[in-house]
């Protein structure tokens, strides 16, 4: 960058993010039960190349080395997720202390290295027995989540700086239950909307035991946002963009922050709308200490009367894309953060994920991922612009620490700052890792020396 002229607050959290199923492997060790991702990825035709998370980055065995890697980058925050099937293998009932031990050691290892733990409780690896009993469309899954959240926070307590209940409930509900791209691979929009409601309900209900067990930690949720632009100035396109925003963004944001579902989207869903019991929205809207914002790209939307409320006609864009085919659109991140502040009076924000996949090549022991460096530069500058505009953004977590199991894309999409050779498990920091480390050093010159 231009790093020198962008000054972030001195207590800003510079972090990296991962998720349990994407990195841990060791799927049947120390009492872990099966998750919906084990089942889904084992089914033919679901994941590119027939990949699974059985080994992934083998982080379960290499976690100390991975923490050292983080320390060498100079990050002061690490966002990881806890695997529910390690903690309560059957989804409900007996707590598997051996599963909790892993996160206990991880958290202590982070603290020893001066890195604040940011734990996400649900990043999509639902215990398979809960799916067999109906999964998220079944209300009792929310009760099971509360017991699980209680078990984790009881053990890890205030050693964790911040807990997020859910990661991207939109993806969990719609990619999993409406579009079939993610586990459990169902294609039923009504189920998806019911799943979405129970994910939100589980979030709100879990806040109670979480706060009781970890009163000194921050508690919140991580939502994914898509920047949405109408294709033209025509009012019909603006209306289409508003509809898509209702589906993609407001359906999750508004119940959490405002205690109501957006009326336009609710009406549009008609008989697909979920069953909501009295008092649910009060639970969902319980106060949170922070909102986690995941941002990657935008969608340009045009009107199409044929397209239902759960979709939009998208318009191709010009300009750079990542390996995911996603447009590089940093302005969308500034706009989003400002909007959250101005329209929603959002609580303090963390950018909990942002990053890009590129077709990295390891040449002579190095990866010159200049496009990823540019992506990070532009998006971190975009965060800075939002802070300048008055938004309270407290941290930024690059997705991801290292290349990992990218869900339905298997190992074919690399998002890491660190290259992973999945044959040998060798880790090679890419140029972007060096760039990020330098940025952090410039931003935190007075940071205390890490404890050895
Ligand atoms: C997000 C997920 C994360 C990762 C990135 C690329 O939707 O939360 O696990 O797959 O996308």
């Amino acid at each position: 960058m231009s790093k020198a002229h962008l000054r972030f607050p001195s207590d800003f959290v510079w972090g990296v993010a991962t998720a349990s199923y994407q990195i841990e492997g060791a799927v049947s060790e120390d009492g872990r039960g099966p998750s919906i991702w084990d089942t889904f990825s084992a089914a033919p035709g679901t994941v590119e190349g027939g990949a699974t998370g059985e080994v992934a980055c083998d982080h379960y065995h290499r976690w100390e080395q991975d923490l050292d890697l983080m320390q060498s980058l100079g990050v002061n925050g690490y966002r990881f997720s806890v695997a529910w099937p390690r903690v309560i293998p059957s989804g409900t009932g007996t707590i598997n202390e051996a599963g909790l031990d892993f996160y206990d050691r991880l958290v202590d290892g982070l603290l020893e290295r001066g890195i604040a733990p940011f734990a996400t409780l649900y990043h999509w690896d639902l215990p398979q027995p809960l799916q067999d009993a109906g999964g998220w469309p079944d209300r009792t899954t929310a009760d099971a989540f509360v017991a699980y959240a209680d078990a984790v926070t009881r053990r890890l307590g205030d050693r964790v700086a911040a807990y997020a209940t859910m990661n991207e409930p939109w993806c969990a509900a719609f990619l999993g239950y409406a579009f079939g791209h993610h586990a459990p691979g169902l294609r039923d929009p009504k189920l998806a909307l019911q799943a979405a409601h129970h994910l939100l309900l589980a979030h709100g209900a879990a806040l109670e035991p979480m706060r009781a067990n970890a009163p000194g930690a921050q508690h919140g949720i991580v939502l994914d946002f898509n920047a949405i632009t109408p294709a033209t100035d025509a009012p019909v396109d603006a209306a289409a963009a508003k509809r898509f925003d209702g589906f993609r963004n407001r359906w999750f944001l508004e119940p959490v922050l405002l205690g109501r579902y957006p009326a336009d989207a609710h009406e549009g869903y008609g008989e697909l709308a979920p069953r909501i019991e009295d008092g649910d929205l009060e639970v969902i809207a319980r106060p949170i200490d922070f909102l986690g914002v995941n941002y990657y790209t935008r969608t340009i939307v045009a009107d199409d009367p044929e397209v239902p409320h759960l979709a939009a006609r998208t318009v191709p864009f010009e300009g750079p894309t990542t390996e995911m085919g996603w447009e590089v659109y940093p302005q969308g991140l500034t706009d989003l953060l400002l909007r959250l502040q101005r329209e929603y009076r959002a609580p303090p924000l963390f950018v909990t994920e942002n990053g890009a996949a590129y077709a990295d090549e390891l040449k002579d022991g190095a990866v010159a991922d200049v496009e990823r460096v540019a992506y990070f530069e532009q998006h971190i500058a975009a965060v800075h612009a939002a802070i300048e505009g008055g938004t309270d953004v407290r941290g930024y977590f690059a997705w991801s620490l290292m290349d990992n199991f990218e869900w339905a894309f298997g190992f074919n999409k690399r998002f890491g700052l660190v290259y992973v050779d999945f044959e040998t498990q060798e880790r090679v920091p890419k140029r972007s890792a060096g760039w990020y480390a330098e940025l952090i050093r410039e931003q935190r010159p007075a940071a205390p020396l890490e404890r050895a």
Side-chain angles (χ1 to χ4, degrees):
M1 207 177 294
S2 57
K3 297 179 210 103
H5 76 260
L6 296 185
R7 277 252 76 86
F8 283 78
S10 59
D11 56 354
F12 198 75
V13 177
W14 293 101
V16 287
T18 64
S20 48
Y21 191 73
Q22 295 181 276
I23 64 164
E24 286 178 358
V27 292
S28 23
E29 262 169 77
D30 295 335
R32 180 188 180 278
S35 78
I36 54 172
W37 269 95
D38 297 285
T39 310
F40 180 75
S41 61
T46 52
V47 175
E48 278 184 23
T52 75
E54 205 178 333
V55 178
C57 305
D58 194 33
H59 171 76
Y60 193 77
H61 300 118
R62 296 168 195 263
W63 62 273
E64 285 188 276
Q65 173 196 342
D66 291 337
L67 296 196
D68 289 345
L69 206 49
M70 279 179 234
Q71 189 176 27
S72 72
L73 295 179
V75 299
N76 58 340
Y78 173 46
R79 174 173 179 248
F80 61 96
S81 79
V82 176
W84 186 347
R86 287 197 195 285
V87 177
I88 305 185
S90 307
T92 54
T94 312
I95 295 169
N96 175 36
E97 296 298 335
L100 279 170
D101 289 345
F102 173 70
Y103 300 104
D104 204 293
R105 290 191 294 270
L106 184 79
V107 164
D108 283 347
L110 287 165
L111 295 172
E112 279 161 23
R113 290 168 179 80
I115 301 170
F118 282 65
T120 300
L121 296 177
Y122 186 69
H123 201 128
W124 308 350
D125 39 5
L126 186 73
Q128 182 62 40
L130 289 177
Q131 183 56 41
D132 297 340
W136 285 110
D138 195 288
R139 198 175 167 96
T140 59
T141 300
D143 302 329
F145 179 80
V146 175
Y148 157 65
D150 181 35
V152 176
T153 52
R154 207 174 271 270
R155 175 67 95 84
L156 303 180
D158 282 344
R159 286 177 292 154
V160 166
Y163 288 98
T165 50
M166 299 291 164
N167 177 71
E168 302 192 348
W170 183 88
C171 288
F174 288 100
L175 298 183
Y177 290 87
F179 305 137
H181 301 320
H182 281 186
L186 301 179
R187 293 173 193 271
D188 181 336
K190 192 167 170 60
L191 279 188
L193 278 155
Q194 196 63 54
H197 181 63
H198 293 152
L199 282 153
L200 291 174
L201 184 65
H203 150 77
L207 288 171
E208 213 162 63
M210 290 166 70
R211 285 195 189 284
N213 295 335
Q218 306 281 300
H219 300 278
I221 186 169
V222 171
L223 301 179
D224 57 314
F225 293 90
N226 197 272
I228 293 161
T229 314
T232 70
D233 291 341
V236 282
D237 286 342
K242 186 174 178 229
R243 272 199 304 280
F244 194 59
D245 184 52
F247 164 56
R248 199 61 189 72
N249 300 324
R250 288 181 288 123
W251 191 257
F252 293 85
L253 180 64
E254 297 195 357
V256 169
L257 293 189
L258 307 178
R260 55 166 171 72
Y261 283 109
D264 58 331
H266 194 270
E267 199 177 309
Y269 292 151
E271 59 168 27
L272 298 179
R275 252 177 300 107
I276 301 168
E277 292 188 7
D278 282 353
D280 284 0
L281 283 152
E282 285 74 33
V283 172
I284 293 171
R286 282 184 181 150
I288 50 176
D289 305 318
F290 73 92
L291 175 67
V293 173
N294 290 358
Y295 175 81
Y296 290 92
T297 190
R298 78 161 159 175
T299 308
I300 305 175
V301 171
D303 181 49
D304 186 340
E306 301 292 304
V307 170
H309 267 257
L310 292 160
R313 182 158 77 83
T314 58
V315 174
F317 46 85
E318 293 165 12
T321 56
T322 70
E323 239 341 75
M324 299 294 279
W326 295 346
E327 181 185 8
V328 177
Y329 188 64
Q331 182 62 42
L333 181 53
T334 307
D335 295 345
L336 166 65
L337 295 168
L338 290 172
R339 177 188 182 197
L340 289 171
Q341 170 91 4
R342 289 179 187 160
E343 287 180 32
Y344 291 95
R345 304 252 161 262
L349 304 173
F350 286 92
V351 175
T352 33
E353 281 181 35
N354 176 241
Y358 288 106
D360 300 316
E361 276 178 56
L362 184 62
K363 271 199 206 126
D364 303 327
V367 180
D369 58 338
V370 290
E371 290 166 301
R372 184 173 293 101
V373 170
Y375 184 98
F376 280 130
E377 254 178 11
Q378 292 165 11
H379 286 79
I380 289 171
V383 174
H384 191 265
I387 296 174
E388 293 282 284
T391 309
D392 185 1
V393 189
R394 307 241 169 129
Y396 175 90
F397 292 81
W399 184 271
S400 178
L401 166 66
M402 56 188 163
D403 298 336
N404 57 47
F405 175 80
E406 179 47 39
W407 308 114
F409 298 95
F411 297 104
N412 291 338
K413 295 286 183 280
R414 294 180 175 274
F415 273 92
L417 290 165
V418 174
Y419 184 91
V420 176
D421 178 332
F422 292 104
E423 299 287 312
T424 62
Q425 292 297 343
E426 192 193 351
R427 276 88 160 123
V428 181
K430 302 175 194 177
R431 186 177 293 184
S432 56
W435 176 86
Y436 195 46
E438 195 186 320
L439 167 77
I440 297 171
R441 262 197 306 278
E442 289 186 22
Q443 292 294 333
R444 306 182 61 234
L449 286 177
E450 319 289 2
R451 275 174 278 166

